[in-house]
Amino acid sequence: MKGHQRVLIDELLPSIEILLSGDATPLNPDKMFPAAISQTWLEIGFGSGEHLIKQAVNNPLVGFIGCEPYINGVARTLTSISRLGLRNVRIFRDDARILLQALPDQSIARTFILFPDPWPKTRHYKRRIIGPKTISTLCRLMPKGAELRIATDDPSYKEWILVHILSCNGFKWRARRPQDWQVKLADWPETRYEMKANAAGRQCSFFLFSREA
Ligand SMILES: C[S@@+](CC[C@H](N)C(=O)[O-])C[C@H]1O[C@@H](n2cnc3c(N)ncnc32)[C@H](O)[C@@H]1O
């Protein structure tokens, strides 16, 4: 990590980091930001923050919560937050599943899970972030009409995502034709991992789901 990033970890992160109190009091996303926000959007595993930062710039009235345990990725993201003077991003630097438990019902209007670790070996499938427990928690957190965006380049994870999300009946897949998952929406910035997947010639899939009552 570079010296200026270490300074940002020490000096900027404490002012925007989400810390859990340890008691059962739910977090209040509306009170996390210095100005009033219209909605809260969540990114799980933001890596080096390319998508999180572009979304935060493009949607200044939205409050963003990013979860990422990888400290170098947090440091790079802090560099962008500082350079751009962003005030609508908060960071949780641990396992997103811990944070999800602490968020109140119906508090998240949009969730992004972009290129989650695929854990391709069968014996590691239980480590995948997308599974029945995360999906049922997202159903609790996301109101009707809220959007869930997931991307992956791993063939077995593609199938896993569709099977698990559609079998819970809480989300509707918005695709009507292959183009809808082969081509991203215009407001879906590219991530570092996506660039690597494209450079290696791997086919990425972009899944868009809506929360159903
Ligand atoms: C393959 S990388 C993709 C990063 C980024 N989304 C991108 O597309 O470039 C997966 C990321 O998810 C993070 N991650 C893994 N498990 C996580 C968890 N339980 N909670 C939050 N982030 C997690 C990893 O640290 C890693 O940065």
Side-chain angles (χ1 to χ4, degrees), residues 17-28:
E17 183 171 20
I18 298 173
L19 298 171
L20 301 182
S21 63
D23 61 28
T25 317
L27 294 166
N28 184 348

Side-chain angles (χ1 to χ4, degrees), residues 43-51 67-71 73 92 94-98 113-119 127 129 151 190-195:
E43 182 163 346
I44 294 176
F46 60 72
S48 295
E50 301 84 11
H51 176 276
C67 304
E68 177 54 65
Y70 166 54
I71 193 67
F92 183 71
D94 203 339
D95 187 328
R97 289 166 288 199
I98 301 169
I113 311 177
L114 306 180
F115 301 92
D117 291 325
W119 297 109
R127 299 186 190 176
I129 186 91
E190 190 177 51
T191 69
R192 179 174 293 226
Y193 194 90
E194 181 184 340
M195 259 176 351

